Amino acid sequence: MQTTCTRRVEGMCKGSGASKMAKSLFASFPQRMPKKAVSFQKPNDAYGKEESNNSHRHMNMQGQFLEFHKAFITHSNHHVNIAPFKFDVPSPDDLVSDGLRSSKMGLKANSTDLKTSRVSSSINEKNGVLSKSSTERSDSSSALMPKGRHFSRDKSNHLENDMGNTLSSDKSSVCSPSLNLKGRNDKIDESSSSSMSGGNPQSLTNSLNKMDVNVGSGLSKNVNTRVTRSKAEYKPEKWMLPDQAEDTLTQLNLAIVGHVDSGKSTLSGRLLHLLGRISQKEMHKYEKEAKLQGKGSFAYAWALDESTEERERGITMTVAVAYFDSKKYHVVVLDSPGHKDFVPNMISGAAQADAAILVVDASVGSFEASMDGGKGQTREHAQLIRSFGVDQIIVAVNKMDAVDYSNERFDFIKQQLGTFLRSCGFRDSSISWIPLSAMENQNLVAVPSNVCLLSWYHGPYLLDAVDSLQPPTRDFSKPLLMPICDVVKLSSLGQVSACGKLEAGALRSGSKVLVMPSGNVGSVRSLERNSQACTFARAGDSVAVSLQGIDGSLVMAGGVLCHPDFPVAIAKHLELKVLVLDVTTPILIGSQLEFHVHHAREAARVVRILSLLDPKTGKVTKKAPRCLSAKQTAVLEVALQGPVCVEEFSSCRALGRVFLRALGRTIAVGVVTRIIEET
Ligand code: GTP
Ligand code: MG
């Protein structure tokens, strides 16, 4: 049996003070005030959850989708029985690899050594159950970006709303909050940049504008004279490599993704409860409080959805983080929001996933709604997860109780979704299909007791499937790279901590680190991992790094900690290879987009479309096309409003994988094939 970790986070959250991510991850940090979450308007939001009106809601969604399609799509196949998918391009990663092999675009890329690595994201500890990160800022999640040099959130929201309204009548004003800390002990005196960033994709522009780069920052010097030493010259020290004799569980970052309302938080809460991470007493409290608010069925979800707004609305808005130990893994659960307005949060949180549980609602109508190209997030989440490099996925077919544990329904979903997942590049052998009911505790951590389910299902239960996942690969022997998802400043003590997941390399107390984009070198004062002080951290670990010898204002979310001899590039003009998703509006030269890379976000403009590629061979099929439409693969150039820390995909996947968003949707996923101009 699995060893459940009974250590409660709240019990550990004393003392120091750190970011949202840190708080969820690192028990010694004080918890932060629950944020008043983002100003998410739309009082009559069609998605607003009310208990017991789910089917009604889904019907609304379908209705809206219908309208949408009537207006913008030539064929009208919407509704309950969805047509088989024809999204037959390979996954973005496969596509990238293919393209890198065959592209003649003069790319510098090498196709070698493409190990799995991912963008890290901020995670915050919640109660014994951990937390999410801060919602203190209100942040545009999506949208076409304004053209001005200084991207303002308000403006972008505004623009998005304007644009969005022209496309879809239900478009709510989007705020895309950050990963929010949902700490239990919601008190923090110290400032934290995460209150501004929250681990959300960050625009560095404003931060950089505020920064006096010429005064002692060394920015221009370091950036302009970046030593492009080959990483092959790097020789890791012995302590940086894992010792086979170390008796520790491998950390597995497990993203819980899927359409709104599919039961992700309920499933996560149930798992944590079953595995002893939520006490009986706490569970009673959630049940009581949820009932009082007329939302009794959300009791388990409340363990993860901690903010008032999330509970009132009945939706997750930020990524919640929790831990449990299985037989094989120390599992970091990243419970993502399903609502489309919070996809940027989902990106920031799930981008560091090693594997994912895709939760689908088996109820009649709900599964179908979740698969709708226009409104359903099942497809968008699956595509995003795959493009993060995640190739192992567990499909939790939830709410089987609502379909009487029907074998036929399960097979139908498996067939429909399986076709789509294969088209995204998931191999059949890397997909596990688990019928379950989070609400009725069927097939989660033990063989189901339901007779009907037992009569036809003889496979593994969910926790078994988690243990069957392959361990993630880590770039231990490469120079340090840690995208910063969150920064905590303890002004009273003059301390600053950067939080994030090490994508490559290792750190220990005393290590010198280059803080980008400022270009300053500081050193590691101390480290915390998994709620405890530690002496070193290696690739794959999520840590809070307390820095010394550096001005706290130069450490920012969206930046990167790296090895002083191997600085990350800082650039604003990039060549990308992208896979266009199911867009209805073509991408043109001049299109304004929102560019996401690890925890950074920046307004961008398409400056050139170089070529269309054959998705299978990566060969150029057309030069200089005028526009890009759905499912096309292309090479294009973007100019960013401000610089971001970035690497070519061939040298670091986590820092070279990008997402383009507009109108509140992810419109393309891709990779950086060339840094055209370093800042
Ligand atoms: P977002 O985070 O907003 O995307 O939603 P979610 O996927 O986390 O869903 P959540 O856990 O909040 O649950 C949504 C609703 O589905 C709640 O009313 C739950 O009680 C219900 N639900 C979750 N799991 C089950 C289940 O196994 N069976 C049934 N019948 N209902 C369930
Ligand atoms: Mg949820």
Side-chain angles (χ1 to χ4, degrees), residues 539-602:
D541 290 334
S542 299
V543 287
V545 185
S546 171
L547 297 167
Q548 60 190 3
I550 186 155
D551 178 347
S553 68
L554 302 175
V555 185
M556 62 192 70
V560 174
L561 293 187
C562 40
H563 188 292
D565 295 338
F566 298 91
V568 69
I570 302 174
K572 27 191 288 202
H573 192 179
L574 303 166
E575 181 188 273
L576 312 176
K577 177 185 290 188
V578 299
L579 166 65
V580 182
L581 303 180
D582 281 332
V583 294
T584 48
T585 313
I587 300 175
L588 306 166
I589 294 165
S591 286
Q592 301 285 317
L593 309 162
E594 186 175 293
F595 174 91
H596 292 251
V597 61
H598 55 94
H599 301 294
R601 185 194 59 187
E602 194 54 67

Side-chain angles (χ1 to χ4, degrees), residues 265 305 316 335:
S265 303
D305 296 337
T316 303
D335 175 34

Side-chain angles (χ1 to χ4, degrees), residues 308-562:
T308 312
E309 190 168 0
E310 284 181 313
R311 290 180 172 188
E312 273 169 8
R313 297 175 62 87
I315 57 170
T316 303
M317 295 160 85
T318 58
V319 177
V321 182
Y323 306 102
F324 66 81
D325 286 352
S326 67
K327 269 187 278 195
K328 201 167 147 191
Y329 294 115
H330 175 65
V331 180
V332 177
V333 176
L334 300 153
D335 175 34
S336 310
H339 194 294
K340 66 183 174 58
D341 287 352
F342 301 107
V343 169
N345 284 358
M346 176 272 175
I347 289 176
S348 190
Q352 68 176 359
D354 299 311
I357 298 181
L358 175 64
V359 183
V360 296
D361 179 346
S363 319
V364 177
S366 300
F367 168 70
E368 286 76 5
S370 83
M371 294 290 283
D372 255 340
K375 297 267 185 277
Q377 258 57 60
T378 299
R379 289 166 30 130
E380 185 173 12
H381 281 199
Q383 282 169 330
L384 283 169
I385 276 287
R386 183 66 193 94
S387 65
F388 294 148
V390 172
D391 53 8
Q392 304 182 79
I393 192 164
I394 297 170
V395 182
V397 182
N398 189 30
K399 306 197 191 182
M400 285 300 290
D401 57 297
V403 292
D404 297 326
Y405 296 95
S406 157
N407 191 358
E408 288 70 37
R409 181 66 178 163
F410 177 76
D411 287 345
F412 171 79
I413 290 171
K414 188 171 169 182
Q415 188 267 322
Q416 294 277 305
L417 184 53
T419 307
F420 179 71
L421 293 179
R422 276 190 293 279
S423 78
C424 292
F426 289 102
R427 287 188 314 274
D428 273 343
S429 57
S430 302
I431 310 174
S432 307
W433 298 88
I434 316 285
L436 52 86
S437 166
M439 194 55 87
E440 296 192 346
N441 182 20
Q442 292 296 321
N443 219 15
L444 301 189
V445 300
V447 174
S449 58
N450 181 278
V451 181
C452 183
L453 181 55
L454 267 179
S455 69
W456 58 267
Y457 182 75
H458 309 289
Y461 47 85
L462 184 64
L463 198 62
D464 261 350
V466 170
D467 270 328
S468 303
L469 294 166
Q470 292 302 309
T473 43
R474 308 286 191 207
D475 283 339
F476 296 116
S477 51
K478 288 190 179 169
L480 171 72
L481 277 176
M482 187 188 105
I484 303 170
C485 68
D486 213 355
V487 179
V488 181
K489 288 165 193 156
L490 302 174
S491 38
S492 54
L493 298 173
Q495 283 182 10
V496 58
S497 291
C499 305
K501 177 185 156 206
L502 271 73
E503 292 296 345
L507 273 176
R508 66 177 170 185
S509 305
S511 295
K512 290 257 179 289
V513 290
L514 180 64
V515 180
M516 297 297 263
S518 82
N520 283 61
V521 175
S523 64
V524 177
R525 180 202 305 269
S526 60
L527 285 169
E528 287 215 13
R529 181 182 58 203
N530 292 350
S531 313
Q532 287 178 335
C534 59
T535 47
F536 66 86
R538 297 191 185 118
D541 290 334
S542 299
V543 287
V545 185
S546 171
L547 297 167
Q548 60 190 3
I550 186 155
D551 178 347
S553 68
L554 302 175
V555 185
M556 62 192 70
V560 174
L561 293 187
C562 40

